[in-house]
Amino acid sequence: MSPNPIYYFYKIKSPKKTHNNPNSKMSYTTTFITIVLSQFLLQVATTLASKVPAIIVFGDSSVDSGNNNQIATVLKSNFEPYGRDFYNRKPTGRFCNGRIPPDFISEGFGLRPFVPAYLDGEYSIADFAQGVCFASAGTGYDNATSDVLRVIPLWKELEYFKEYQMKLRAYAGRKKANYIIREALYLVSIGTNDFLENYYSIQSPRSSQYTEEQFQDFILRLAQNFVTQIYHMGARKISLTGLPPMGCLPLERTTNYVSGNGDGCNEKYNNVAKHFNVMLVDLIQRLNNELPGIRVVFSDAYDLLLQMITKPSSFGFEVASVACCGTGLFELGYLCDKLSPLTCTDASKFVFWDAFHVTDKTNQIISDFLMKYVFAQFL
């Protein structure tokens, strides 16, 4: 598949040999300079990529690049208007109008400008050697979360990772494959669904089994187990993403309003997210102290996203309380339909794309922030 666009900018077309062309010397000089420049740029990109040779992704819809397309679930986004601002205006299964954070982060490390889904038949192990996504929209740390919409549970994402490792060793050789597995950056973005789709859901038994704090402890233990598992499978550079201000998602604001609590954010959910993030930071410190050679970082975009929601104009947005798609109050998945006359024409004016997910522009702002303040140590 397509490499990083940097490789396209300097394709060389040698001038024809002509004995009577007075501009031939200048033409050859220009070609020589172009070759040198292209080699320099290629070396820069290769140097960046060599420090992080691949981006490997686990998680939910915040990072799913299309795995749900291939499974029997209602939670899909491989149709318009999703993807309308992606390459070739193609809906890929990303819950966004364009790219999601792993795509921007991959590009930031000099790799491809997108990370393909492992279950997407258009790609092979040759593509996945630079990056692969095992994430599934709707999943969580808790297996009960993935059962709600019958999506891929986290344990199955791990099974795919094991399968990927075998394919990678067969493709690249054991030494090169082990290098990729060891030096890759692992993006783990998951947890929101455990609360909104699972614990706070009316039909969920978890709220009767655990108090809010007990459930957070339960999810944290699952997160610790997961990181330990991928560590023993070779992962060393790992990013754990914190919870967003989930009470400010348009769907939760709508639910808050319908429940008679006004049209603002659900502060109870936001407080839970902040508390869980503090616990996650403590967990990361323990993991870094206990597992030799591991480097776990905390990718925290809570405050940044909250700033975009509360002061959208500071980031070039016009709308933050509702989403671009449809009415912007509740639509996501199949409810975000291309036939809706209410869908906005310019998603870059909106913080949110659908009632649960942010726009391409928001993803880029968050990714740029993480590249500068979190992932710079891996460059």
Side-chain angles (χ1 to χ4, degrees):
M1 299 304 295
S2 301
N4 189 304
I6 195 171
Y7 301 132
Y8 287 119
F9 294 162
Y10 299 96
K11 286 184 176 178
I12 309 303
K13 184 177 181 181
S14 299
K16 294 180 180 179
K17 275 191 176 181
T18 55
H19 297 290
N20 301 316
N21 182 0
N23 296 319
S24 62
K25 182 179 289 187
M26 181 180 294
S27 181
Y28 281 112
T29 302
T30 303
T31 302
F32 173 75
I33 293 172
T34 308
I35 291 172
V36 171
L37 180 59
S38 66
Q39 289 176 337
F40 169 75
L41 289 169
L42 180 60
Q43 185 177 15
V44 170
T46 304
T47 301
L48 280 173
S50 66
K51 293 185 178 180
V52 173
I55 302 295
I56 298 178
V57 186
F58 296 95
D60 55 27
S61 59
S62 61
V63 290
D64 181 3
S65 56
N67 285 308
N68 274 23
N69 300 351
Q70 312 302 325
I71 63 174
T73 178
V74 297
L75 192 56
K76 297 178 185 286
S77 60
N78 56 337
F79 46 83
E80 297 177 353
Y82 287 99
R84 73 182 193 186
D85 297 310
F86 194 74
Y87 300 110
N88 299 322
R89 301 176 63 86
K90 180 183 179 182
T92 60
R94 289 167 173 81
F95 280 80
C96 186
N97 60 301
R99 290 194 285 171
I100 53 180
D103 301 323
F104 290 109
I105 292 167
S106 177
E107 185 175 36
F109 278 103
L111 300 167
R112 266 182 319 212
F114 62 92
V115 178
Y118 183 65
L119 299 183
D120 191 333
E122 290 188 16
Y123 302 93
S124 68
I125 190 61
D127 302 295
F128 299 144
Q130 279 195 3
V132 61
C133 173
F134 302 107
S136 175
T139 202
Y141 284 113
D142 185 2
N143 289 336
T145 303
S146 62
D147 291 340
V148 175
L149 293 170
R150 298 184 178 181
V151 297
I152 302 169
L154 195 54
W155 66 262
K156 186 64 176 178
E157 291 187 28
L158 272 177
E159 290 297 314
Y160 287 140
F161 181 44
K162 292 178 184 176
E163 183 180 86
Y164 162 78
Q165 289 188 335
M166 290 188 292
K167 291 180 180 179
L168 186 63
R169 290 186 175 109
Y171 167 75
R174 180 169 293 274
K175 183 177 180 180
K176 178 73 178 294
N178 288 344
Y179 168 78
I180 293 171
I181 293 165
R182 183 181 68 251
E183 298 299 329
L185 175 61
Y186 293 78
L187 304 179
V188 183
S189 180
I190 192 169
T192 304
N193 296 320
D194 289 307
F195 293 91
L196 299 184
E197 208 176 275
N198 183 354
Y199 186 79
Y200 292 120
S201 175
I202 297 174
Q203 68 268 27
S204 173
R206 293 303 193 202
S207 58
S208 61
Q209 296 171 335
Y210 302 100
T211 65
E212 281 182 348
E213 290 209 3
Q214 288 173 338
F215 185 71
Q216 290 179 63
D217 287 333
F218 171 63
I219 296 300
L220 202 71
R221 289 195 299 273
L222 295 178
Q224 180 176 2
N225 291 340
F226 177 76
V227 172
T228 303
Q229 282 180 288
I230 61 173
Y231 170 80
H232 288 304
M233 295 170 71
R236 291 298 181 269
K237 303 171 183 176
I238 304 169
S239 161
L240 284 184
T241 302
L243 296 182
M246 54 190 185
C248 291
L249 302 179
L251 182 60
E252 301 311 321
R253 293 175 74 138
T254 300
T255 304
N256 212 32
Y257 178 77
V258 172
S259 301
N261 299 316
D263 60 356
C265 299
N266 184 323
E267 293 305 330
K268 173 186 174 181
Y269 289 177
N270 283 353
N271 289 333
V272 167
K274 287 187 289 187
H275 184 259
F276 182 79
N277 287 347
V278 171
M279 296 170 66
L280 200 57
V281 170
D282 290 339
L283 171 62
I284 289 170
Q285 291 175 346
R286 293 201 309 272
L287 289 167
N288 283 326
N289 290 332
E290 294 171 4
L291 299 176
I294 200 171
R295 295 167 69 187
V296 188
V297 296
F298 181 47
S299 291
D300 181 19
Y302 182 100
D303 290 333
L304 178 61
L305 182 54
L306 189 61
Q307 287 175 29
M308 285 189 260
I309 293 168
T310 56
K311 298 179 180 179
S313 60
S314 299
F315 298 86
F317 296 110
E318 295 179 9
V319 184
S321 59
V322 298
C324 168
C325 193
T327 63
L329 298 173
F330 61 87
E331 293 92 342
L332 72 145
Y334 285 116
L335 295 178
C336 180
D337 187 273
K338 69 176 182 179
L339 299 178
S340 174
L342 300 176
T343 297
C344 75
T345 57
D346 184 359
S348 69
K349 296 178 180 179
F350 287 71
V351 174
F352 292 95
W353 164 247
D354 66 19
F356 210 83
H357 306 96
V358 298
T359 57
D360 173 283
K361 179 179 175 179
T362 306
N363 279 328
Q364 183 165 20
I365 292 171
I366 292 172
S367 301
D368 289 347
F369 172 83
L370 295 177
M371 284 299 299
K372 183 176 181 180
Y373 295 106
V374 180
F375 301 138
Q377 62 185 285
F378 299 127
L379 285 170

